């Protein structure tokens, strides 16, 4: 922290070498302008990197003599050692500060310098921590951070703390905050000023640069910014595909897992990266899909399971459902360990290339919880330490404990006005800056809960997303359930905009094709567009996102190969993962050399795929199902950075003559015939059901005909359409 009294830090000789010029203003708590400054010399504290050990190799270098002091933190625990550097030749840093401005949140470049602004309603003290690049050097060595205490009489407007610093570099600055406040857990507070916190509005996040680098397992994460790079060149002829929702064929995929395997044939430097996806666009085009739904690409920590001894400490988070920051692209998906700035640029290159191929980009976003875990084993990196009571749902009737509707220990307080604006700002950022086409919201029923966790009929955040002008062209898809039992399939608040993952489609299609009794009517309803769920107001069949397989659960091959989950490798004694898989192993559990069983399994996979592609609604398939990927019965493979999750390109080549060709041709058949993509729900003129035995629960036969209306757009009287009419 920046102390106003130098003797608290060091003697006067040392102080001469570490002076900071800061502004001095009258006590105006409502100043929202940057203002003019008057120089006031105060002590500048250099602290050893306060966010813990295992630095990513970026910090503030030390020189000459070092004086070490140790102070207890606000909870009485021994704080990390702080370091004050004594230069051989005293040198003033000479930065000038201004009160700054409250908006926009995060870091912004203003006329007078670099502005920092952060919200914390309950904080009593905020300290900005900075690490500056060395002139002429590309890397920092492990060392200290500059800490600048914000004066609440000068640097605070309402609940927003802010400061502007002149002459800071325009890029390559690492920053974070220390924040103090009430220590009453029963009131929902979790302040701890010994922890450096990531700015929720940081547009880039620095950390370890290579995915799964065990030598940097405990490295910390910092906000950073880039005002120096030229704007990304999207090209003069660039335009997004703007594919109508009813015409989408979605391919759910993981950026890293798609190309990280050696069998991808890519240069090792781009395997598992955004650039790797670009190299495999020809495969997507050959398959026939026109939209990719990317598993989380916001910054996350793949080593989160390895922070302490536990049954899962052998695992690496490869799915990414544990967000650190909602604005920054995952920096370890950059090629060659390029870091956050390159990650941002390469993500844009990926989007541009996909759009150029006519493929839309939908992001799987996780606004139901964060990476900060629970109260038993917390990992405070941002929201928890900034203002836990605002950012998370807490139960004040139960000693301020965190509510857990996400199954991950915490639940974001999505309908609090500040959190709601954070979510909206994040979504707008990804649309404006990265040109994405839509979002799939993980456990979206959490977003339908009030600040106390109770369900809301008209959740403000859901309405705001549906009505937002910047998001108006985006596809918005809900996973309409959560881990607290709020199951909203067919009843998700929608404002005629929201589509839904149709979980009832998945279950009914699985049951019918594996041969369950009494499922024929339900199967017909699902194939026809689930009108029982979605024919309300102005909703359309495309608002049903149909899927048989998704990232969580069995792969398509495992669905026809296993009756039971086999999750022992996850370290939870087989207690994780869903038990209701509605699967059938075709006569043998797991892998077999029996040719008859294998032939039946491949036929069943084709049945599932065909049913999906002839159904009204928006189809979604999973990466790898086009060649029959197996996870060997693991239906919850989130923690395996191995062939269990990684696309096996060699197996694709082996199946291209049969299985893959069938999958590809069925997708293209769907896209060629408009009878599968009706704008509205089917009427009796659109389909003929060749069936008079609906009540027979043992009947497993169903036949129907889609009626094709042939229309010549020119009314030319000479084409085949006009001839037939």
């Amino acid at each position: 922290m920046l102390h106003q009294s130098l003797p608290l830090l060091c003697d006067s000789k040392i102080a001469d070498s570490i002076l900071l010029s800061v502004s001095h203003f009258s006590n105006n708590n409502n100043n929202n302008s940057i203002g003019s400054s008057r120089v006031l010399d105060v002590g500048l504290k250099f602290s050893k990197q306060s966010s813990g050990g295992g630095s990513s190799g970026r910090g503030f270098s030390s020189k000459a003599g070092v004086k070490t002091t140790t102070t207890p933190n606000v909870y009485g625990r021994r704080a990390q050692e702080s370091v004050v550097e004594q230069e051989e030749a005293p040198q003033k840093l000479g930065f000038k500060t201004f009160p700054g401005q409250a908006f926009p949140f995060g870091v912004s470049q203003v006329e007078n310098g670099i502005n920092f602004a952060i919200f914390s309603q309950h904080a009593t003290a905020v300290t900005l921590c900075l690490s500056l690049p060395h002139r002429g050097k590309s890397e920092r060595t492990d060392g200290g951070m500059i800490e600048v205490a914000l004066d609440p009489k000068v640097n605070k407007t309402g609940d927003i703390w802010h400061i502007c610093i002149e002459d800071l570099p325009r890029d390559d600055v690492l920053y974070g905050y220390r924040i103090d406040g009430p220590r009453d857990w029963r009131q929902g507070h979790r302040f701890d000023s010994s922890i450096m916190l990531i700015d929720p509005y940081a547009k880039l996040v620095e950390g370890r640069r290579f995915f799964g680098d065990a030598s940097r397992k405990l490295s910390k994460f910092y906000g950073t910014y880039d005002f120096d790079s030229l704007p990304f060149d999207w090209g003069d002829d660039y335009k997004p595909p703007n594919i109508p929702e009813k015409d989408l064929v979605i391919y759910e995929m993981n950026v890293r897992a798609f190309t990280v395997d050696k069998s991808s044939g890519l240069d090792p430097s781009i395997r598992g990266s955004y650039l790797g996806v670009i190299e495999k666009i020809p495969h997507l085009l050959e398959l026939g899909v026109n939209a990719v739904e990317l598993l989380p690409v916001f910054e996350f920590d793949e080593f989160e399971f390895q922070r302490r001894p536990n049954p899962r400490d052998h695992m690496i988070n490869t799915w990414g459902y544990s967000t650190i920051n909602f604005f920054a692209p995952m920096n370890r998906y950059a090629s060659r360990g390029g870091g956050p700035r390159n990650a941002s640029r390469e993500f844009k290159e990926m989007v541009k290339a996909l759009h150029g191929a006519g493929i839309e980009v939908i992001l799987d976003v996780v606004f139901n919880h964060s990476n900060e875990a629970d109260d038993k084993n917390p990992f405070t990196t941002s929201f928890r330490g900034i203002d836990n009571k605002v950012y998370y749902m807490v139960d004040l009737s139960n000693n301020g404990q965190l509510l857990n509707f996400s199954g991950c220990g915490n639940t974001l307080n999505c309908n609090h006005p500040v959190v709601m604006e954070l979510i909206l700002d994040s979504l707008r950022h990804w649309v404006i800056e990265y040109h994405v086409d839509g979002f799939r919201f993980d456990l979206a029923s959490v977003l339908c809960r009030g600040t106390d966790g109770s369900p809301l009929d008209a959740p403000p955040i859901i309405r705001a997303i549906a009505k937002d002008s910047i998001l108006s062209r985006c596809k918005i898809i809900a996973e309409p359930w959560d881990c607290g039992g709020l199951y909203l399939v067919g009843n998700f608040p929608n404002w005629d905009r929201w589509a839904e993952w149709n979980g009832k489609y998945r279950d009914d299609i699985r049951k019918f094709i594996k041969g369950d009794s009494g499922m024929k009517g339900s199967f017909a309803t699902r194939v026809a567009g689930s009108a029982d769920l979605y024919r309300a107001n102005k909703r359309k069949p495309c608002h049903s996102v149909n899927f048989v397989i998704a990232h969580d659960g069995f792969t398509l091959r495992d669905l026809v190969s296993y009756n039971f989950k086999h999750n022992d490798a996850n370290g939870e004694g087989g207690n994780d993962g869903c038990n209701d898989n509605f699967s059938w192993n075709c006569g043998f559990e797991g892998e077999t050399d029996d040719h008859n069983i294998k032939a039946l399994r491949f036929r069943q996979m084709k049945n599932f795929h065909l049913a999906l592609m002839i159904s009204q609604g928006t189809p979604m398939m999973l990466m790898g199902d086009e060649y029959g990927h197996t996870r060997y019965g693991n239906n919850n493979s989130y923690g395996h950075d191995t062939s269990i999750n990684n696309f096996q390109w060699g197996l694709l080549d082996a199946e291209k003559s049969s299985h893959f060709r069938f999958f590809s041709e069925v997708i293209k058949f769907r896209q060629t015939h408009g009878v599968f993509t009706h704008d509205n729900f089917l009427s009796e003129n659109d389909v003929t059901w060749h069936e008079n035995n609906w009540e027979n629960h043992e009947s497993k036969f169903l036949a129907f005909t889609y009626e094709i209306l042939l229309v010549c757009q020119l009314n030319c009287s000479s084409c085949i359409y006009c001839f037939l009419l």
Side-chain angles (χ1 to χ4, degrees), residues 192-212:
D192 184 344
S193 61
S194 72
I195 300 173
M196 192 184 306
L197 305 168
I198 302 168
D199 178 5
Y201 276 80
K203 302 304 188 295
L204 300 172
V205 171
E206 178 69 271
R208 81 179 67 84
R209 291 194 167 189
F210 292 93
F211 193 97

Side-chain angles (χ1 to χ4, degrees), residues 38-158:
R38 182 167 71 86
V39 174
L40 174 68
D41 287 337
V42 297
L44 178 66
K45 181 178 179 181
F46 286 69
S47 67
K48 191 170 183 179
Q49 287 194 346
S50 50
S51 52
S55 162
S56 61
R58 301 169 62 78
F60 204 92
S61 66
S62 58
K63 299 179 183 178
V66 175
K67 178 177 179 179
T68 301
T69 61
T70 303
T71 56
N73 65 19
V74 294
Y75 295 110
R77 296 188 293 271
R78 185 178 183 275
Q80 293 177 300
E81 292 182 338
S82 60
V83 177
V84 176
E85 300 177 354
Q86 183 173 2
E87 306 266 353
E88 292 180 353
Q91 179 181 353
K92 293 185 179 182
L93 295 176
F95 286 136
K96 183 182 293 183
T97 73
F98 304 84
Q101 59 191 37
F103 297 100
F105 289 159
V107 180
S108 56
Q109 185 175 226
V110 294
E111 183 178 354
N112 298 56
I114 304 296
N115 191 78
F116 298 82
I118 188 169
F119 169 91
S120 183
Q121 179 181 345
H122 297 101
T124 57
V126 174
T127 300
L128 174 65
C129 307
L130 300 168
S131 177
L132 309 183
H134 288 299
R135 300 301 182 188
K137 295 184 179 180
S138 60
E139 288 293 332
R140 294 161 232 218
T141 56
D142 192 14
M145 303 283 288
I146 303 171
E147 299 192 350
V148 184
L150 275 60
D151 184 346
K153 297 179 180 179
V154 175
N155 304 111
K156 187 181 179 188
T157 302

Side-chain angles (χ1 to χ4, degrees), residues 390-419:
V390 167
Y391 283 107
Y392 294 115
M393 297 182 191
V394 296
D395 186 357
L396 296 180
S397 66
N398 185 27
N399 296 316
Q401 293 299 303
L402 293 169
L403 292 171
N404 182 17
F405 298 111
S406 67
C408 297
N410 63 67
T411 309
L412 279 178
N413 196 7
C414 299
N415 283 294
H416 185 286
V418 171
V419 184

Side-chain angles (χ1 to χ4, degrees), residues 89-298:
Q91 179 181 353
K92 293 185 179 182
L93 295 176
F95 286 136
K96 183 182 293 183
T97 73
F98 304 84
Q101 59 191 37
F103 297 100
F105 289 159
V107 180
S108 56
Q109 185 175 226
V110 294
E111 183 178 354
N112 298 56
I114 304 296
N115 191 78
F116 298 82
I118 188 169
F119 169 91
S120 183
Q121 179 181 345
H122 297 101
T124 57
V126 174
T127 300
L128 174 65
C129 307
L130 300 168
S131 177
L132 309 183
H134 288 299
R135 300 301 182 188
K137 295 184 179 180
S138 60
E139 288 293 332
R140 294 161 232 218
T141 56
D142 192 14
M145 303 283 288
I146 303 171
E147 299 192 350
V148 184
L150 275 60
D151 184 346
K153 297 179 180 179
V154 175
N155 304 111
K156 187 181 179 188
T157 302
D159 296 324
I160 303 169
W161 301 72
H162 45 80
I163 189 170
C164 179
I165 303 179
E166 190 178 61
D167 294 331
L168 274 183
R170 289 160 47 89
D171 67 350
D172 203 31
V173 172
L174 307 186
Y175 76 100
Y177 292 92
R178 294 182 186 272
I179 298 182
D180 202 359
R183 275 79 107 188
D184 191 347
W185 277 47
R186 293 172 300 178
Q187 291 301 311
H189 300 302
R190 304 292 189 270
F191 290 104
D192 184 344
S193 61
S194 72
I195 300 173
M196 192 184 306
L197 305 168
I198 302 168
D199 178 5
Y201 276 80
K203 302 304 188 295
L204 300 172
V205 171
E206 178 69 271
R208 81 179 67 84
R209 291 194 167 189
F210 292 93
F211 193 97
D213 180 2
S215 69
R216 302 286 186 182
K217 184 184 298 185
L218 299 180
S219 65
K220 302 304 177 181
F221 298 90
Y222 307 89
T224 186
Y225 56 81
D226 176 21
F227 299 119
D228 222 21
S229 295
L230 294 174
F232 182 76
D233 181 10
W234 290 95
D236 294 335
D237 58 349
Y238 165 82
K239 62 179 181 180
N242 288 327
I243 300 169
E245 212 158 346
K246 70 181 182 66
D247 295 327
L248 289 178
V249 178
I250 300 173
Y251 185 79
E252 190 189 27
M253 59 172 285
N254 180 304
V255 167
R256 175 170 171 80
F258 193 45
T259 66
V260 72
D261 195 83
K262 184 178 180 180
S263 64
S264 68
L266 301 183
D267 186 281
S269 64
I270 66 169
R271 291 179 198 160
S273 71
Y274 303 122
L275 297 187
V277 174
I278 297 175
E279 295 298 315
K280 294 300 183 179
I281 288 176
H283 168 70
L284 300 175
L285 294 175
E286 186 179 4
L287 179 60
V289 297
N290 57 16
V292 292
E293 183 174 300
L294 304 180
L295 266 63
V297 293
F298 297 178

